[in-house]
Amino acid sequence: MKFATLASASALVLSTVLAVSGAEARDQIRIVGSSTVYPFTTAVAEQLGKTGIKTPVVESTGTGGGMKLFCAGVGVDHPDASNASRRIKKGEFEDCQKNGVTDIVELKIGFDGIVIANAKSGPAFKVTKEQLFKALAREVPGADGKLVANPNKSWKDVDASLPAEKIEVLGPPPTSGTRDAFLELVMESGAEKLPGMADLKKADAKAFEKVWKSIREDGAYIDAGENDNLIVQKLEANPAAVGIFGYSFLEENTSKIKGASVNGGEPTYENIATGKYAVSRPLFVYVKKQHVGVVPGVDKFVEEYVSDKAIGEDGYLSAKGLVPLPAEERAKVAEAAKSLKTLGAEAF
Amino acid sequence: MTDIVSTGTRPHDVTSPEARARVRKRYRAEARFRFYGIAAIGFAAIFLVCLIGDVVTRAIPAFTTSYVSLEVQVDPAQVDPKGDKSPASLISGNYDAPVRNALATLLPGANDRVSRRQLANLVSSNGTIDFRDQILRDPDLVGKTVRTDVLLGDDADLFIKGHMTDVTETSGQGQITPSGTEGTITLTGAPALSAAAFTSADPSTFIRINGGWVKIIGAANGQLTGDVFMPLANTNAGDWKLVTLETPEGSRRVTDREIVWLQSLKEQGLIERSFNWHFFTSGDSREAELAGILGALTGSLFTMLITLVICLPAGVAAAIYLEEFAPKNKWTDLIEVNINNLAAVPSIIFGLLGLAVFLNFFGLPRSTPLVGGLVLALLVLPTIIIASRAALGAVPPSIREGALGVGASHQQAIFHHVLPLAMPGILTGTIIGMAHALGETAPLLLIGMVAFIVDVPTSPMDAATALPVQIFLWSDLPEAAFKAKTAAAIIVLLMFLFVMNGLAIFLRRRFERRW
């Protein structure tokens, strides 16, 4: 009977497929982690693929998700490397140790600036971190220093020097590494400078943290999702709005949007590299040393990543928007990578 | 025969003015309703046209690609390091250097390191692959001069397609005398160009004279100062043209110098645009000009295959049992309710289930069409069962009874008579379910099919992405050229859907039977 044949044939196919899949040796590097580092790691992966090694598979899971997968264990079922838009956390490191991932090589690959930008046709913004805090925090210190719900409706309410536009900020959602970095780099240090807040930090660090970590939810700040291209499109359509995203998107869209200067620093390549632009963060790649020699090409991957032609001043990653490390730091990273120096508990 | 006696006491009132008014009102109501219907369809059609129009116009740049046609001197020292013309030696050769040299001879003036790098930027970082393959096919070309097409870089390609800046060209009045052929020169005799500031925030202005390009950097007293971007043939007084690049240099990705070179190549007739076959024949790439859809297409195909192989037999068997053999009791009612509910469960839940069961429990590899297919099979199975049951139920009972009446067993009646008649309905339901699965992204995110994968998969066990996931990935990349790629991938996905739905219609027409 035709039908029965079909059914048994498909059952057979399925069972063989399930049987062979289990523990098979892997000859392709697997990398997980941050969507911010993803564009850079994919470029390195592609270069590596041209040298005769199978092109690594790079998956964009977000920094936290990537770390979880990375630290889950050693062996071909687990990824060989993880991208991170922030440094590995102590908890994640301990998790790794517990699961047997004891030899982790840390590669600091460069910087990414976080840009506050608006459409070319919109007004020019020159802001400080305090002003950004006052515009975006859920609660700000009132006239008497007590916390009140954020009353600022337009940028002019925040500071007379700013344009009289409604506050409308499109930014990353809470799950994003960019949002974490923005909170730490802008909101935290912005809050510290305000009257009374430094005292609050001393008196009650938890309460202070809650203040700078809370973004207003009355419509002035809009979660725009993880897709930065969409934010750029929305800014173009609405010149009054301001967006928050990674520097590479500003660089690629200079014909449509312009970056605001923060604390007097313009978001340019040179300023981020020299530290004159204050809102920038280092990017990392973590590699399992235990996989070197097990999965072919892991050492080659590290070598390619820290090579001058990748993360150097004129490297192909700088063309993709990565801001390179200063030369001496880069030399140190390359040196550590060469010897596959592992991360110890004393680093935290 | 009995006579029919009218018992009605009230005759139908169809002639009075009130009755006419009522009729007119009914007609008006009907006309209004028809208008609403047409308006609704028109409204939907406008949205559809806008959507498709937008996608297609955005996608157009991705379907063509620009090449520069070069006469390349194939230097044996560079491309054949071992000197034996063996494939191993040829594959390790440096093909970029000869191409750069060929460009440099065409475009004089690139002397310093920065401008040499800009020159190299014009062509794609992997644009010499075709050239390499050409030499590999015919090793005798080593040492000769070969005409080859080299792919342009993505930004240069966008400029050629007119997406970077508008270029306006006007003929100048009178003649101008340049003071030199290279470096910074002055141009005398020009009618006063307004002495505007020539900064990077203004449109770039060029004077084309004696075969060279001069960028204006200042104007005073009827004299222009400018930097020579392409050397002039001589210092004679000559006719001139004014070329303006409307978008300021600071606001675009291609520098003035690169544009001058591209324009010059264009005028020499060396830039060709052709259909972008590469887009359909290669896998993903980080370079926008090289990225292709084949990897995602194959991934989708494998995923669909796995889904079909699991879904169709299981779904049809379940439907036959439930519709024809199962007793009607509380248990079958419970199962039925659950199947109907499962059909409405959000797809992300199936993704989580797949992650927990197939990846974590069975330990199947991440990012593979195998797992993707299994997850999507779970997703569409309820749809197929429901559609198949409806199709089986629509076969008239007389067919079954006829078969049973001539002595067939219950099973024979179903498999020989009912199932073939229900097949068109079952297939239509299956294909529509598969089309749904094809467009599904969320469950695939969780099982790792959102990955950068360059190699085109060759089996359901290889790492792969699917079409909707590829669209998702490309839409998030910063390069402008990826926007066109995203739209083009959407069109490929729509085409895939059209083909599948077309197949459903064809099968229905071919096998459908009416009673």
Side-chain angles (χ1 to χ4, degrees), chain B residues 423-435 496-512:
Chain B
M423 224 43 195
I426 293 177
L427 287 178
T428 312
T430 308
I431 290 171
I432 289 174
M434 297 294 286
F496 205 140
L497 278 173
F498 283 150
V499 169
M500 282 180 81
N501 283 318
L503 192 68
I505 292 166
F506 171 76
L507 288 173
R508 201 165 58 217
R509 286 271 164 81
R510 181 89 171 67
F511 297 109
E512 196 172 42

Side-chain angles (χ1 to χ4, degrees), chain B residues 318 321-322 325-340 389:
Chain B
Y321 178 74
L322 286 172
F325 294 98
K328 298 276 172 278
N329 58 26
K330 268 188 196 154
W331 288 110
T332 48
D333 278 353
L334 188 73
I335 289 171
E336 197 176 331
V337 167
N338 275 311
I339 289 173
N340 288 338
R389 286 189 68 178

Side-chain angles (χ1 to χ4, degrees), chain A residues 39 45 50 68-69 72 97 114 177 191 197 199 212 214 221 223 233 242-243 252 264 301 304-305 307 310 323 344:
Chain A
K50 276 187 226 144
K68 217 166 132 189
L69 285 167
Q97 303 292 326
I114 295 176
M197 295 303 275
D199 301 336
W212 63 261
S214 306
Y221 182 92
D223 277 349
Q233 280 183 27
V242 177
E252 286 289 338
F301 171 73
E304 172 75 31
Y305 221 131
S307 70
V323 179

Side-chain angles (χ1 to χ4, degrees), chain B residues 314-373:
Chain B
V316 174
I320 291 174
Y321 178 74
L322 286 172
E323 189 69 20
E324 306 285 348
F325 294 98
K328 298 276 172 278
N329 58 26
K330 268 188 196 154
W331 288 110
T332 48
D333 278 353
L334 188 73
I335 289 171
E336 197 176 331
V337 167
N338 275 311
I339 289 173
N340 288 338
N341 278 337
L342 275 178
V345 167
S347 54
I348 190 91
I349 310 276
F350 287 99
L352 285 167
L353 180 78
L355 176 68
V357 174
F358 300 125
L359 294 186
N360 293 347
F361 186 74
F362 285 115
L364 295 180
R366 282 177 79 80
S367 316
T368 51
L370 171 69
V371 181

